[in-house]
Amino acid sequence: MNEDKSADEKTGRGTVRTITDLARLAGVSPGTVSRALAGKSLVNTKTREKIEAIAREHGFRPNQMASGLRRQKTGVIGVVIPLGHDSRQQISDSFFMTLLGFLADELTRQGYDLMLRRVVPENDADWLDRFIGSGMIDGVIVIGQSDQFDRIEDVADGYGPMVVWGNHTEGQRHCVVGTDNRLGGRLAAERLIAAGAKRLAFLGDTTAIEFAARFAGAQDAARRMDLPPVMALPTHLSPERAAEEIAAHIAAHAGAIDGIFAATDTLAALCLTELHARGVAVPGDIKLAGFDDLPIARQTVPPLTTVRQDIAAGARGLVDLLLRRLAGEQTESLILPAQLVARQTA
Amino acid sequence: MNEDKSADEKTGRGTVRTITDLARLAGVSPGTVSRALAGKSLVNTKTREKIEAIAREHGFRPNQMASGLRRQKTGVIGVVIPLGHDSRQQISDSFFMTLLGFLADELTRQGYDLMLRRVVPENDADWLDRFIGSGMIDGVIVIGQSDQFDRIEDVADGYGPMVVWGNHTEGQRHCVVGTDNRLGGRLAAERLIAAGAKRLAFLGDTTAIEFAARFAGAQDAARRMDLPPVMALPTHLSPERAAEEIAAHIAAHAGAIDGIFAATDTLAALCLTELHARGVAVPGDIKLAGFDDLPIARQTVPPLTTVRQDIAAGARGLVDLLLRRLAGEQTESLILPAQLVARQTA
DNA sequence: CGGAAAAATGCAATCGTTTGCAAATTGCGC
DNA sequence: GCGCAATTTGCAAACGATTGCATTTTTCCG
């Protein structure tokens, strides 16, 4: 008991756990305490101050589970990363992680907590409904459509507070925030072409819809310039697999191409290393462009030409739209512009 | 109403929201439904199957808030990243993000959800108590001690289910999982010395306790070899600030040192770029070593000699210890070995 | 000082699930 | 078919905070 007491003195945990305990100490009813702590105007300033003082002294915090249950809202936003086309993508891909960081900051700023879930849709077809139906979250942000576009569309019909990071497709029903991937792809390809490349290749997994759009953009550029179609070189994102796949692609096609557009900077950096190892000059023999403008793009040798996504703006957009949907508003998707960052690989 | 119905048919949300709704449909009492869904042995197999069937058909999920409230446990583990010594560290430092990824996987595997919070202790002295006292989490994992060692120690006395990623200090009271930073620092310095360096410098912010230990390890090695003490070059982790700070350090000391031990690979990569820009040969003029063995360490030119931390093992350790503490066990800290990865910068 | 309006507080139901205990049902041996 | 034990079920009270409504207290004005 001595232990209990000293712990309580120091940390304030222990004696006053519930609003009722606090009410007893303050000599009022639990209802009044609730109102005082919620800062409602109905309670006398003096009583409020007294209650606040006792609360502070004992380090009291109202139980959010109980509060959530009663008010039918939790103050928690779910963030889910579906790992559809490539289970280990996220670990390697610092893009998603950076976005997550900004999201955490932005949600905190708005008074929400963040519940994170990574799911593997092929093991668990029900991933999105499960999360939404758990009763633990007020809304959900999906980071990346992966290969789950249809699943997300289905849910969007019946569930409002959802916003998705990804690619916008004409006529889709779920609200997305994302970069104009097709434009970005076109910009990258145009740059490669302007630098002298004529036979282009695309490095990435086009079953992911964002990447497919980047590929399509590159294809647009090639067609417009009357060049042969861009060759698709399927590549996973996990570093182990990507490295060998890239090596194989280059071994097979190095002579036949003179421009590579990589779906992400991470892949581009890997590709650069591999080209370097094989003695292929960049941008001399082969021009190279990436996508994302991650910190690594600045640090490769030579520094990487790439397409910039504004991650911070993306996070702000996601949260902003979600909050408006939470408030009952209907919202349109938000497409952020892509911007070419010309460095030295093309 | 038509809308409602069709939404329900597709997604199963709508009609059967509570266990009571389900009970009515099944013709039993809510208690029985609860037991059936929890898989308790007390309920007749036939009734259970019927209940499960109806639940599946309507996509019913029990409300976790209510369940949590009643059972006094939430199934959620809090993960908090204190941003003490450098507010933007996390965004740049892919180490923490990678650890977070593994943590998410490991917690999911164990049936827990993850609630993520980033806090700035200087705005909010109460950050840890607040999180713990929210009633939303069963336990907490703190990623990085930052400059909050004392705060964490205080809490550890009164609150069991907490495990911290960071550095272990003799006699501390909170349970930590982390790499043997001092050993790692020594290994790095020894390698620099073996490669011929005699006047070493340490790049990093030694107010962060993990970094201080790495620095101390390097100092040990220098002392043991009768070399002059390692020079401390304070550097923040955020890429913008780090870049200029490093440039300044190098401008000021390039001639006076021939070995640099960077507190993280990210800093090492930045440093390498800067040295390269100034025409300093690595490892010819200056030897360089990093820490972490992030993917980037493989991709610099030349590839980075560094000290490997086993991030996946760290995540497993954190979760394992936390679960044992949740079960009431007392646990010791877990120190993972550091391992030198010799590449080409030293 | 009386009385009505305004302000502050208390009461009790409620959110949805779990669980101890009591009641009802079933099974079984004779 | 009876009695007793073993299974299944139902009942109702929690968990802790919120809130509509009723009640009390205060304020203010004539």
Side-chain angles (χ1 to χ4, degrees):
Chain A
M1 59 170 91
N2 190 3
E3 251 179 325
D4 259 36
K5 195 173 163 214
S6 73
D8 186 47
E9 270 163 15
K10 264 196 272 184
T11 67
R13 254 171 284 113
T15 14
V16 181
R17 243 175 10 81
T18 77
I19 223 173
T20 314
D21 297 339
L22 183 43
R24 198 177 314 119
L25 274 192
V28 297
S29 77
T32 304
V33 173
S34 173
R35 282 182 276 249
L37 262 29
K40 306 228 177 186
S41 56
L42 307 87
V43 33
N44 184 303
T45 314
K46 226 146 176 202
T47 341
R48 182 212 309 293
E49 278 163 3
K50 181 168 159 199
I51 291 175
E52 280 170 348
I54 303 183
R56 213 170 316 114
E57 180 189 347
H58 289 81
F60 170 79
R61 334 225 169 258
N63 182 312
Q64 289 204 50
M65 286 262 150
S67 164
L69 178 58
R70 172 63 227 240
R71 301 190 333 192
Q72 298 291 82
K73 53 169 64 180
T74 64
V76 180
I77 299 296
V79 173
V80 55
I81 307 184
L83 308 176
H85 55 294
D86 195 346
S87 305
R88 302 214 73 66
Q89 77 173 206
Q90 65 307 331
I91 288 181
S92 56
D93 201 30
S94 64
F95 176 80
F96 282 146
M97 288 291 134
T98 308
L99 181 58
L100 180 62
F102 281 110
L103 271 181
D105 286 344
E106 190 61 21
L107 285 171
T108 305
R109 227 171 51 74
Q110 304 276 1
Y112 281 92
D113 266 314
L114 186 166
M115 186 140 135
L116 179 65
R117 227 181 240 201
R118 302 165 85 193
V119 298
V120 181
E122 56 187 314
N123 304 343
D124 174 17
D126 221 17
W127 59 279
L128 191 46
D129 285 306
R130 256 244 293 284
F131 202 17
I132 290 170
S134 71
M136 287 281 269
I137 58 178
D138 291 341
V140 63
I141 292 175
V142 181
I143 301 191
Q145 291 148 321
S146 183
D147 50 8
Q148 298 290 305
F149 190 89
D150 295 336
R151 197 82 266 282
I152 297 171
E153 282 285 272
D154 283 351
V155 169
D157 296 333
Y159 182 74
M162 174 173 74
V163 182
V164 179
W165 173 269
N167 193 71
H168 181 79
T169 307
E170 197 60 48
Q172 73 177 56
R173 304 188 300 280
H174 66 266
C175 176
V176 358
V177 173
T179 302
D180 188 336
N181 287 298
R182 189 154 188 162
L183 169 63
R186 209 191 66 201
L187 292 176
E190 284 173 354
R191 172 77 190 186
L192 292 171
I193 296 168
K198 295 196 171 352
R199 289 151 307 157
L200 304 185
F202 176 79
L203 214 58
D205 176 2
T206 49
T207 60
I209 191 170
E210 297 98 317
F211 294 170
R214 293 174 197 178
F215 178 54
Q219 207 63 275
D220 293 344
R223 195 176 317 110
R224 198 172 310 183
M225 299 296 201
D226 284 325
L227 295 179
V230 178
M231 186 186 308
L233 304 177
T235 313
H236 290 86
L237 283 180
S238 61
E240 316 86 47
R241 299 176 72 177
E244 27 176 308
E245 288 169 348
I246 291 173
H249 288 321
I250 292 177
H253 305 290
I257 58 181
D258 56 6
I260 298 180
F261 170 32
T264 74
D265 284 349
T266 313
L267 289 178
L270 243 28
C271 184
L272 191 55
T273 310
E274 180 63 23
L275 289 169
H276 187 259
R278 296 179 67 92
V280 179
V282 177
D285 300 328
I286 290 190
K287 330 283 176 213
L288 178 65
F291 205 105
D292 287 346
D293 195 27
L294 298 177
I296 195 184
R298 250 173 247 273
Q299 296 181 240
T300 56
V301 187
L304 195 61
T305 290
T306 188
V307 176
R308 179 161 158 68
Q309 303 203 67
D310 189 341
I311 308 185
R316 276 196 307 274
L318 285 166
V319 173
D320 177 51
L321 288 183
L322 185 63
L323 294 189
R324 280 156 60 184
R325 294 191 140 246
L326 239 20
E329 208 175 307
Q330 290 290 350
T331 62
E332 293 299 316
S333 290
L334 171 64
I335 308 299
L336 303 167
Q339 191 191 349
L340 186 80
V341 179
R343 295 208 181 86
Q344 298 170 29
T345 58
Chain B
M1 58 169 90
N2 192 4
E3 252 178 327
D4 260 32
K5 194 171 162 215
S6 73
D8 186 47
E9 270 164 13
K10 265 196 269 183
T11 67
R13 253 170 288 112
T15 15
V16 182
R17 241 176 12 80
T18 78
I19 223 172
T20 313
D21 297 339
L22 183 42
R24 197 178 314 118
L25 273 191
V28 297
S29 79
T32 303
V33 173
S34 172
R35 283 183 273 249
L37 262 29
K40 306 229 178 191
S41 55
L42 306 88
V43 30
N44 185 302
T45 314
K46 221 137 178 212
T47 342
R48 180 212 312 296
E49 278 164 3
K50 179 170 162 199
I51 292 174
E52 281 170 347
I54 303 182
R56 211 169 319 112
E57 179 189 347
H58 293 269
F60 170 78
R61 333 223 171 262
N63 182 312
Q64 289 203 51
M65 285 263 151
S67 164
L69 177 59
R70 171 64 226 236
R71 300 189 332 189
Q72 297 291 84
K73 54 170 62 179
T74 64
V76 180
I77 298 298
V79 172
V80 56
I81 307 185
L83 309 175
H85 56 291
D86 194 347
S87 301
R88 303 212 74 67
Q89 76 170 204
Q90 65 307 328
I91 287 178
S92 56
D93 200 31
S94 63
F95 176 80
F96 282 146
M97 288 291 134
T98 309
L99 180 57
L100 180 61
F102 281 108
L103 270 180
D105 286 343
E106 191 61 21
L107 285 172
T108 305
R109 228 171 50 75
Q110 304 277 0
Y112 281 91
D113 266 313
L114 186 166
M115 188 141 133
L116 179 65
R117 227 181 242 203
R118 302 164 85 192
V119 298
V120 182
E122 57 186 316
N123 303 346
D124 173 16
D126 219 18
W127 59 278
L128 191 44
D129 285 306
R130 256 246 290 285
F131 202 17
I132 291 170
S134 71
M136 287 282 270
I137 58 179
D138 291 340
V140 64
I141 292 175
V142 181
I143 301 193
Q145 290 148 322
S146 183
D147 51 6
Q148 297 291 304
F149 190 90
D150 296 336
R151 198 82 265 284
I152 297 172
E153 282 285 272
D154 283 352
V155 169
D157 295 333
Y159 182 74
M162 173 173 75
V163 182
V164 179
W165 173 269
N167 195 70
H168 181 78
T169 307
E170 197 59 47
Q172 75 176 53
R173 303 187 301 279
H174 65 265
C175 176
V176 358
V177 174
T179 303
D180 188 337
N181 287 296
R182 189 150 187 167
L183 169 64
R186 211 192 65 199
L187 292 175
E190 283 174 355
R191 172 78 190 187
L192 292 171
I193 295 168
K198 294 198 173 345
R199 289 151 307 159
L200 304 185
F202 175 80
L203 213 60
D205 177 2
T206 49
T207 59
I209 191 169
E210 297 99 313
F211 295 171
R214 293 173 196 178
F215 178 54
Q219 209 60 275
D220 292 344
R223 196 177 317 113
R224 197 170 312 182
M225 299 296 202
D226 284 325
L227 296 178
V230 179
M231 184 187 308
L233 304 177
T235 313
H236 290 86
L237 283 180
S238 61
E240 316 86 48
R241 299 177 71 179
E244 25 176 308
E245 287 169 348
I246 290 173
H249 288 320
I250 291 178
H253 306 290
I257 59 180
D258 55 7
I260 297 179
F261 169 32
T264 74
D265 284 349
T266 314
L267 290 179
L270 243 29
C271 183
L272 191 56
T273 310
E274 180 62 23
L275 289 170
H276 187 259
R278 296 179 67 90
V280 179
V282 177
D285 301 328
I286 290 191
K287 330 284 176 213
L288 178 64
F291 205 106
D292 286 345
D293 195 26
L294 297 176
I296 193 182
R298 252 172 245 274
Q299 295 181 239
T300 57
V301 186
L304 194 62
T305 290
T306 188
V307 176
R308 180 163 156 68
Q309 303 203 67
D310 188 342
I311 309 184
R316 277 196 308 274
L318 284 166
V319 173
D320 178 50
L321 288 182
L322 185 63
L323 295 189
R324 279 157 60 183
R325 294 190 142 248
L326 275 174
E329 209 175 309
Q330 289 290 348
T331 61
E332 293 298 315
S333 290
L334 172 64
I335 309 299
L336 303 166
Q339 192 190 346
L340 186 80
V341 179
R343 296 207 180 88
Q344 298 172 29
T345 58

